[in-house]
Structure formats: C-alpha cells, structure tokens
Amino acid sequence: MRCARELLKAGQVRHDGPRYLLGIVGPPAVGKSTFAASLVAAVNRLAGDGMAVAVPMDGFHLPNVVLEASGLRHLKGVPATFDAQGFVDLLSRLRENPPRTLWCPLYDRDLHDRVDAALAVEPAARLIVVEGNYLLLTEPPWDQVRPKLDLAWYLDAPRGTRLERLRQRHVAGGRTLDEAQDKISGTDAPNAELIEATRTRSDRVIWLGAGT
C-alpha cells in the first residue's frame, strides 16, 4: 500500500522513534476498518511484525445494558452512545507508551456489544492506527481526540456505495430490509452528515471509490 510506504519513507514511523498516532475517519460504511487493517498489514510487512496496530473507536460503544437503561438503545451509534471520555483516556495512555501491554476494548458485530480487554497493544508498537467516526468532532469531550493524533486522514466513497454497504451490514446483523432502512434513515444518515461536516479538520482526504 502506497500510504504505508509514504509513512515509513517520511520517517514519521520508525523503530527508534516516538509512538505515532494516525487517525482514520469517515462516514459509516466508507471502509475505515478495511483500510486501517490493510495499512497496518502493509506497515508490518515492510517494517516488521508488531510495528503497527489498529485501535478502533467502536470498542467504546457503551454496553447494551447501559443503553437500555438510559433509553438510548435505538440510537446506538450516535456520539452520545459512546464512552467518549474513556476513549480519550485510552489515547492518552497510548501516546504515553508505558512499558507494559495496554488492553483495549473491541466491538463484536456478532454479539452487537463491546468486549473489554480484547485487543493488546504492546510497548514496541510505533504506529497506532486509530479508526472511527468521531475523531474530528469539536464538542467536548470529543474535541480532545484530534490534538492527540499526529495526523488525521478522512476517507470518502460514493454515497450509493456506502448506503448499500449499510443495508447489507444491517441485514447480515439480523434486521429486515425495512428495519435496515429505518436504521439508516434514523441514525446512519444523520451521523454521516455530522461526520462530513468535520472533513475540513483532516490533514488529507482519500477517495476510495466504488470498488474499494
């Protein structure tokens, strides 16, 4: 991947350098997770295993039991349904690079819930690829995220492609087509508009295209 070579060639990510946090942001179903995984794999292939690791923001979804109790389950995915401060605190610890393994939560799409301590970030990791929807928001405490990132890349793709991916994702998760469309209209589309408004805060826009 050209992006991996660019990071390594520029000397931004190196074995003897400080830890580097790269944010990957974009609207729902644009391909953030796939892009981040490919970038991490490419960096590790070029520079050695363990050099890079992807840390998704989705691990900071509030647990379903909390969303149920607060009446927010039907809005799952909007900023208020995340542990934003917990996410900010993790980014601080990742940047500090303590001499111990840091354990991060992940989101399980089969369980439709977060799983704590599911991802290990070892001290040797130099590139942390942080991917998520809300890395560039300006509302507290989300506004603390961007200053902790060395670089932020915004991914974009055709709207029709993103909508079809969302439909497929929701149906695969157990929703009917009508329920999938309601979810897209009720939360995914408004989220996309919110995220698109933050595009100008990124350092680079990467167009993935319909086939990516």
Side-chain angles (χ1 to χ4, degrees), residues 50-127:
M51 183 70 157
V53 62
V55 176
M57 186 200 82
D58 273 0
F60 286 87
H61 273 91
L62 289 171
N64 288 335
V65 65
V66 174
L67 296 178
E68 291 282 4
S70 60
L72 292 174
R73 179 70 182 269
H74 68 294
L75 293 176
K76 190 173 184 176
V78 304
T81 63
F82 285 83
D83 175 13
Q85 190 59 57
F87 180 55
V88 169
D89 293 344
L90 175 66
L91 294 181
S92 295
R93 293 196 298 274
L94 288 169
R95 176 159 297 287
E96 291 166 3
N97 196 188
R100 66 180 188 279
T101 301
L102 289 177
W103 291 93
C104 312
L106 290 177
Y107 187 78
D108 189 312
R109 290 194 179 278
D110 292 325
L111 297 175
H112 303 291
D113 211 346
R114 64 182 281 170
V115 179
D116 290 329
L119 171 68
V121 177
E122 303 297 344
R126 296 295 87 200
L127 173 64

Side-chain angles (χ1 to χ4, degrees), residues 174-198:
R175 288 185 170 91
T176 65
L177 279 173
D178 286 343
E179 289 170 341
Q181 190 56 53
D182 287 343
K183 177 65 174 175
I184 292 170
S185 300
T187 58
D188 294 326
N191 286 348
E193 292 180 5
L194 176 65
I195 296 159
E196 287 163 1
T198 70

Side-chain angles (χ1 to χ4, degrees), residues 22-68:
L22 168 64
I24 302 297
V25 63
V30 74
K32 296 184 294 296
S33 297
T34 300
F35 182 92
S38 297
L39 178 61
V40 165
V43 169
N44 286 337
R45 187 168 57 250
L46 293 169
D49 288 342
M51 183 70 157
V53 62
V55 176
M57 186 200 82
D58 273 0
F60 286 87
H61 273 91
L62 289 171
N64 288 335
V65 65
V66 174
L67 296 178
E68 291 282 4

